[in-house]
Amino acid sequence: MRRAVCPGSFDPIHNGHLEVIARAAGLFDEVIVAVSTNYNKKYRFTLEERIDMARETLASLRGIVVEPVGEGLLAEYCRQRGVSAIVKGLRSSSDFDYELPMATMNRQLSGVETVFLPTEGHYLHLSSTLIKEVFTLGGSVSDYVPRSVLKRLLAGGSSPEQPGRG
């Protein structure tokens, strides 16, 4: 079985993420959407909420598993789960510059390859940070996020700027 992982904090998951995950599902037998927590970041949604939103949103796609990454290195997580590739979406050359050293390190640590998928043009501007900022300032984000995310944003979700926690 060819298994890949799409890692990210997904705070919140947005349509750009979904597009890359759906394309990855067409390339691999199984895609693990690995929801991570970076304890140096502040989160709007808890880990559990981020996992729930991803599961609700991706339920109709075949071969998708959503789970937390847990503690430790992504390379080790990949080795433990039998993952042959990490899939990352790229919006711009600055994303590539940021991701390339990590891809090289992950390959050297565990042999896992990184596959870069260029994001569709109409999603190039999307980031979870921008979506949270636009929403917080009263702008509409309904065209950029799945219904489960919009529902939680409108309901208040967790308090803005939740500290990273697992």
Side-chain angles (χ1 to χ4, degrees):
M1 175 187 295
R2 291 181 352 210
R3 181 179 289 147
V5 64
C6 286
S9 57
F10 304 109
D11 185 45
I13 195 165
H14 57 68
N15 293 345
H17 292 132
L18 300 180
E19 185 258 334
V20 169
I21 293 166
R23 287 170 52 206
L27 297 172
F28 296 91
D29 300 316
E30 181 179 83
V31 175
I32 301 169
V33 176
V35 183
S36 64
T37 298
N38 177 340
Y39 293 95
N40 296 317
K41 280 186 171 182
K42 303 268 184 181
Y43 291 98
R44 178 175 183 102
F45 296 102
T46 66
L47 176 62
E48 293 78 18
E49 288 173 312
R50 292 181 281 133
I51 290 170
D52 288 346
M53 288 185 288
R55 284 182 177 150
E56 289 169 22
T57 301
L58 298 164
S60 65
L61 287 177
R62 257 189 166 170
I64 302 289
V65 174
V66 179
E67 62 185 36
V69 172
E71 302 290 327
L73 294 172
L74 180 61
E76 183 58 28
Y77 172 85
C78 290
R79 185 187 345 243
Q80 291 172 355
R81 299 287 286 124
V83 168
S84 61
I86 298 167
V87 176
K88 300 293 281 189
L90 297 179
R91 296 169 295 181
S92 66
S93 60
S94 61
D95 282 353
F96 180 77
D97 291 342
Y98 176 78
E99 295 290 348
L100 184 60
M102 288 187 288
T104 303
M105 182 63 78
N106 285 327
R107 186 177 63 250
Q108 290 177 357
L109 289 172
S110 67
V112 68
E113 293 290 346
T114 298
V115 175
F116 295 117
L117 295 178
T119 304
E120 287 294 326
H122 53 280
Y123 297 128
L124 289 175
H125 65 292
L126 290 186
S127 72
S128 296
T129 300
L130 184 58
I131 286 169
K132 289 183 289 190
E133 183 176 344
V134 168
F135 180 81
T136 300
L137 295 173
S140 174
V141 295
S142 60
D143 290 341
Y144 310 117
V145 296
R147 275 182 251 145
S148 64
V149 171
L150 186 60
K151 179 179 74 176
R152 280 187 173 82
L153 284 168
L154 292 171
S158 292
S159 304
E161 300 304 312
Q162 286 287 327
R165 56 188 168 134

